[in-house]
Amino acid sequence: MSKQNTTSTRDAATGAGTASAGRPTRWVSFVGSGPGDPGLLTVRAVELLRDAEVVVTEVPDHQALVRSVLGLPVPVEGEDEGELPGPLFVDGGFGEDGQPLTHAARAKVVVKHAKSGRRVVRLMAGDPFLYASGPEEALACTKAGVGFEIVPGVSSVSAVPAYAGIPLTTKNHREVAVVACGDAKIDWASYAAHPTLVLLSAVGAIGQVAAELVAAGRPGDTPVSMTRTGTLTTQETIVSTLDEIAADAHAAGMTPPAVTVVGPVVDLRQTLSWFETKPLFGWRVLVPRTKEQAGGLSARLRGYGATPEEVPTISVEPPRNPLQMDKAVRGLVEGRYEWIAFTSVNAVRAVREKFEEYGLDARAFSGLKIAAVGDKTAAALRDWGLNADLVPSGEQSARGLLDDWPPYDDLLDPINRVFLPRADIATETLVAGLIDLGWEVDDVTAYRTVRAAPPPAPVREAIKSGKFDAVVFTSSSTVRNLVGIAGKPHTSTIIGVIGPATAKTAEEHGLRVDVMASEPSVEELVDSLADFGGARREALLDQGQPVTKPSDRRPATRRKASST
């Protein structure tokens, strides 16, 4: 390391010469983003991205990846990205003229932003120092007196074959050679004896590569695999031989990016394939719910191999008249209530926002009994520093809450009133039940649920034409609103619902319910859909049929509601 770079590194470590304490003014972090799956980012990578003020990207998907990992909103069409929270994103792949940047041009972009005094992350596909421009850009930083660090990423060289169920080494095959094909002239005869080859950028030249390997003495029946968009739920793998790979790749429509493996280890895929055999692998699943609540459900769907697509159908907004809520919160502080019952996470959020508006905190709940309709709502309360006194022991619903709610006792209960903050369209089940138990209820509109704007035309068309494999409804209102803004899902689309009430609403709208959660939670809903997908997959295999997705076979008639 040069003396100049050593000085920059020392300043960064000690905080000398910084715009603020502990923040270097001339520093860049080269971070490997891995092969595509956000879950493969390292802990250090996420830490740096969380603190970054500028992220210089490499591929178009990088901005969405960062926003997903950090839980930041994704820009919608026509929205000014500068108004969204998060770092400044700078395109390191293309210049302002739309032309690809050279290594030298990228380095100038990185150095320019590093000299600005802001925390800069240069996000690079795979690993910065493995088949990437990291070395050239790091050298440019050294020359410019900019300190840097390298955060290795999971390389596609090993990750993509692993996701395809192909180990690169075994006890019988211990040697691997990696070749970046590109436009380079390669002496394939020197690689013919290697038991395992990993080829990068070989899609376009695979016919010539295979022919030269065979000409160099490699048997024509040597197994070959080619995997495109590895580690993503769009991953696709073909298995062939050196003699047939060119024709098979063409027939399959293989396109870059793809990783090719040559050698006997490819045969292990037949028994070790784990990613592409997930129960919902490749399924396009519609998630129609409140945008800010969809993250956990979507993450669980991705865990089963699905590609979730969130379509907001409900917008949560403040009540039209806030005076009722203001009065109830004042009554809570003054000791007017014995109980407060939260029937949703949105209710917790609405009361919390009102507290913050008044400068109150959780201490105002002292002496008040708290009920939560389920575990999710109870967890939202814990995040606020509150523990629920009552959570249903059975069904997590208003009915389940009533089953455990104690009747009013004028000897044990000094106050007979319950504060019930909830949505404007909530059912009367809980109110009526509490009154029957002897309680007086202040049923207060804490928030409104209104229908969201229709999704873009391509999404509406995909819903109606059966391009979604499944849709998961988490409430009756999501059913009504989705049908209202986008139309009915196609008959081929698998319909999953969170419980009996949502199932009834779906059937009233002419939909046949295929999957219902065993318990009313989004986790159980996704798990039940995965069980359905797994059983469907096994049935197809048992019948000797290829594994297809529901969207692959679309009957012409629209789904009818079940009469049973």
Side-chain angles (χ1 to χ4, degrees):
M1 181 180 291
S2 69
K3 180 178 179 181
Q4 188 176 29
N5 195 51
T6 303
T7 302
S8 298
T9 305
R10 182 173 63 252
D11 288 347
T14 61
T18 59
S20 61
R23 186 174 115 184
T25 58
R26 303 164 68 88
W27 187 265
V28 59
S29 300
F30 291 93
V31 174
S33 69
D37 182 352
L40 296 181
L41 279 169
T42 65
V43 174
R44 178 61 176 160
V46 174
E47 289 176 348
L48 289 168
L49 288 171
R50 187 174 291 119
D51 292 337
E53 295 170 287
V54 178
V55 176
V56 182
T57 63
E58 184 161 66
V59 294
D61 292 339
H62 268 168
Q63 182 174 164
L65 181 146
V66 173
R67 290 194 175 279
S68 172
V69 168
L70 300 184
L72 298 172
V74 177
V76 297
E77 187 175 352
E79 185 176 17
D80 183 2
E81 295 181 13
E83 296 180 358
L84 294 175
L88 168 67
F89 289 94
V90 177
D91 189 351
F94 292 85
E96 295 180 358
D97 58 358
Q99 297 300 311
L101 293 176
T102 63
H103 290 343
R106 284 198 196 103
K108 288 181 180 179
V109 171
V110 172
V111 169
K112 171 187 172 183
H113 286 283
K115 285 184 173 182
S116 71
R118 291 180 289 183
R119 291 183 289 268
V120 179
V121 166
R122 167 66 167 112
L123 195 59
M124 311 188 79
D127 182 279
F129 273 16
L130 188 62
Y131 299 106
S133 60
E136 291 84 355
E137 294 180 30
L139 286 169
C141 287
T142 299
K143 184 177 180 180
V146 172
F148 65 87
E149 67 175 303
I150 305 296
V151 181
V154 177
S155 172
S156 60
V157 169
S158 58
V160 173
Y163 268 59
I166 300 171
L168 296 183
T169 62
T170 67
K171 64 179 182 180
N172 299 320
H173 303 283
R174 300 177 179 274
E175 184 181 346
V176 180
V178 182
V179 185
C181 301
D183 299 324
K185 182 65 177 177
I186 298 168
D187 178 14
W188 290 105
S190 63
Y191 291 101
H194 286 275
T196 304
L197 296 176
V198 178
L199 311 180
L200 306 178
S201 304
V203 175
I206 191 61
Q208 179 183 350
V209 170
E212 292 194 27
L213 284 172
V214 170
R218 200 78 183 244
D221 60 358
T222 300
V224 181
S225 70
M226 186 178 286
T227 303
R228 67 180 300 276
T229 62
T231 76
L232 302 177
T233 54
T234 54
Q235 176 176 306
E236 180 183 358
T237 301
I238 60 170
V239 174
S240 184
T241 63
L242 284 175
D243 283 340
E244 304 293 336
I245 184 59
D248 289 344
H250 177 74
M254 274 287 165
T255 57
V259 175
T260 303
V261 180
V262 179
V265 293
V266 172
D267 288 336
L268 291 171
R269 169 177 161 82
Q270 186 171 357
T271 53
L272 296 182
S273 178
W274 63 274
F275 185 55
E276 293 170 50
T277 56
K278 286 188 172 187
L280 300 177
F281 180 78
W283 283 35
R284 186 184 180 190
V285 180
L286 181 66
V287 182
R289 54 191 318 236
T290 307
K291 184 68 177 178
E292 59 267 24
Q293 292 181 332
L297 191 154
S298 294
R300 201 171 188 89
L301 283 168
R302 280 190 288 269
Y304 283 115
T307 302
E309 189 163 331
E310 300 168 8
V311 175
T313 59
I314 301 173
S315 176
V316 177
E317 298 183 2
R320 288 191 176 90
N321 184 357
L323 295 180
Q324 188 185 25
M325 187 68 168
D326 293 340
K327 180 180 177 181
V329 170
R330 287 197 300 269
L332 184 152
V333 175
E334 294 167 358
R336 175 179 172 83
Y337 301 105
E338 180 76 7
W339 283 90
I340 182 171
F342 291 99
T343 58
S344 69
V345 172
N346 283 327
V348 176
R349 183 181 295 115
V351 173
R352 187 170 183 175
E353 288 175 354
K354 185 62 67 173
F355 266 48
E356 291 171 353
E357 180 183 324
Y358 281 124
L360 300 171
D361 57 30
R363 290 174 294 183
F365 286 89
S366 178
L368 187 68
K369 296 176 183 176
I370 303 172
V373 76
D375 294 335
K376 288 290 185 183
T377 305
L381 287 167
R382 284 194 297 273
D383 290 342
W384 194 8
L386 300 170
N387 289 317
D389 299 285
L390 177 63
V391 180
S393 57
E395 178 182 325
Q396 296 193 349
S397 65
R399 176 56 57 190
L401 194 60
L402 282 173
D403 289 342
D404 291 345
W405 198 291
Y408 171 67
D409 188 319
D410 57 3
L411 296 178
L412 298 177
D413 301 308
I415 305 170
N416 73 335
R417 191 170 293 274
V418 177
F419 175 21
L420 183 59
R422 57 187 192 147
D424 58 330
I425 59 172
T427 63
E428 298 301 315
T429 301
L430 186 55
V431 173
L434 289 172
I435 292 174
D436 288 343
L437 290 171
W439 296 94
E440 292 186 19
V441 181
D442 281 356
D443 184 11
V444 178
T445 297
Y447 61 95
R448 292 182 299 126
T449 54
V450 299
R451 183 176 292 177
V459 176
R460 298 198 302 272
E461 177 60 26
I463 292 171
K464 295 177 183 178
S465 62
K467 293 180 181 178
F468 282 99
D469 297 288
V471 55
V472 285
F473 290 112
T474 57
S475 67
S476 292
S477 58
T478 57
V479 177
R480 290 189 293 266
N481 289 334
L482 180 72
V483 173
I485 65 176
K488 294 181 182 179
H490 193 275
T491 182
S492 66
T493 306
I494 304 302
I495 304 295
V497 299
I498 201 166
T502 307
K504 181 180 179 181
T505 303
E507 290 170 355
E508 289 173 349
H509 284 76
L511 304 177
R512 188 189 68 235
V513 174
D514 301 292
V515 176
M516 185 165 68
S518 56
E519 295 179 5
S521 72
V522 294
E523 293 84 3
E524 287 295 332
L525 173 54
V526 176
D527 291 349
S528 297
L529 181 63
D531 288 342
F532 178 93
R536 181 180 181 279
R537 175 186 173 84
E538 290 300 320
L540 290 171
L541 292 173
D542 289 344
Q543 296 166 14
Q545 298 182 24
V547 177
T548 58
K549 299 178 295 183
S551 60
D552 292 333
R553 297 177 178 177
R554 296 194 292 273
T557 57
R558 185 171 296 279
R559 178 188 304 273
K560 299 296 183 181
S562 173
S563 59
T564 59

